[in-house]
């Protein structure tokens, strides 16, 4: 076992107090996904979209990593091998928890992107429609978030990691959103052992060889302890 690739979804952040877009209350419940998480929604009403992500940025600033985040950081620090975290989440709880090798396939709340020249920079806590790009000056700033209908970041590198994985783990993912939902199939084809951590089996749960059912803040630290003990 030289490489563990870990996919994380909204479930791991939910245990820190961040809601999922399927939650029945909170920020997401106040808006249609099509209005706040698509390029078309941004084109129709940029203020609504920017305000929505300002609120999400403020919410994310109030929460802290949980035991699952910290356990993954411990795994990376202590395992004699490579640990790569691929996250669908746009918060930075993995980094706050101590993980160093984190790939944000759906972008980051703390980032801003120029729609004109693709320049990226740290987002202020409060963005406004028409904010100028610091590189080209165009009034084209937007949240550096991959919206529905857009291509996730670093896909070639992500698939390279999946092809090299000895173990593939999915934590708190629904299995409904592609391409991430297809990662387990890619890892299986490469010969990886596959494990799903979730409150219940996901939409692609039947493709995993092993399941750990329960809160990630309990099941993930238990698994990390098992892995590290087995390597001693």
């Amino acid at each position: 076992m030289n490489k563990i690739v870990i996919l994380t979804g909204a479930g791991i952040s939910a245990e820190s107090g961040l809601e999922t877009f399927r939650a029945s209350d909170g920020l997401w419940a106040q808006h249609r996904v099509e209005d706040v998480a698509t390029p078309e929604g941004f084109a129709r009403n940029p203020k609504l979209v920017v305000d929505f992500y300002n609120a999400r940025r403020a919410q994310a600033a109030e929460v802290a990593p949980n035991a699952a985040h910290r356990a993954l950081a411990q795994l990376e620090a202590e395992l004699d091998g490579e640990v790569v975290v691929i996250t669908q989440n746009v918060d930075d709880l993995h980094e706050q928890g101590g993980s160093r090798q984190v790939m944000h396939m759906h972008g980051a709340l703390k980032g801003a992107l120029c729609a004109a020249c693709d320049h990226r920079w740290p987002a202020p806590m409060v963005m406004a429609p028409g904010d100028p790009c610091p590189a080209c000056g165009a009034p084209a700033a937007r949240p550096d978030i991959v919206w529905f209908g857009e291509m996730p970041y670093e896909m070639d590198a992500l698939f390279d990691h999946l092809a090299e994985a000895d173990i593939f783990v999915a934590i708190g993912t629904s299995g409904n959103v592609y391409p991430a939902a297809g990662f387990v199939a890619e890892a299986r084809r490469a010969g990886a052992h596959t494990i799903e951590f979730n409150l219940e089996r996901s939409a692609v749960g039947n493709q995993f060889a092993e399941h750990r059912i329960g809160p990630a803040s309990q099941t993930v630290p238990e698994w990390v302890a098992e892995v590290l003990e087995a390597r001693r």
Side-chain angles (χ1 to χ4, degrees), residues 55-69:
R56 290 194 70 192
R57 199 175 297 112
Q59 183 190 60
E62 296 176 352
V63 300
N66 62 54
H69 294 107

Side-chain angles (χ1 to χ4, degrees), residues 79-101:
L79 186 74
D80 181 20
E82 186 179 7
V83 176
V84 178
V85 174
I86 301 169
T87 187
Q88 297 172 274
N89 301 329
V90 295
D91 58 69
D92 65 346
L93 291 174
H94 283 299
E95 289 87 347
Q96 289 187 49
S99 291
R100 298 183 301 273
Q101 194 165 356

Side-chain angles (χ1 to χ4, degrees), residues 155-218:
M155 288 303 297
D156 289 343
L158 298 183
F159 281 112
D160 287 344
H161 285 304
L162 292 169
E164 297 166 355
D166 297 292
I167 296 177
F168 172 75
V169 174
I171 304 171
T173 63
S174 67
N176 288 308
V177 179
Y178 284 84
F183 286 178
V184 60
E186 291 291 330
R188 285 179 61 192
R189 276 194 287 271
H193 178 64
T194 56
I195 314 172
E196 180 176 67
F197 293 78
N198 221 332
L199 294 175
E200 58 186 13
R201 290 198 179 197
S202 71
V204 292
N206 63 343
Q207 299 189 45
F208 287 87
E210 184 180 345
H211 297 85
R212 306 272 182 124
I213 302 299
S217 55
Q218 295 178 19

Side-chain angles (χ1 to χ4, degrees), residues 123-135:
M125 279 300 293
V126 178
M127 295 182 67
D131 278 348
C133 169

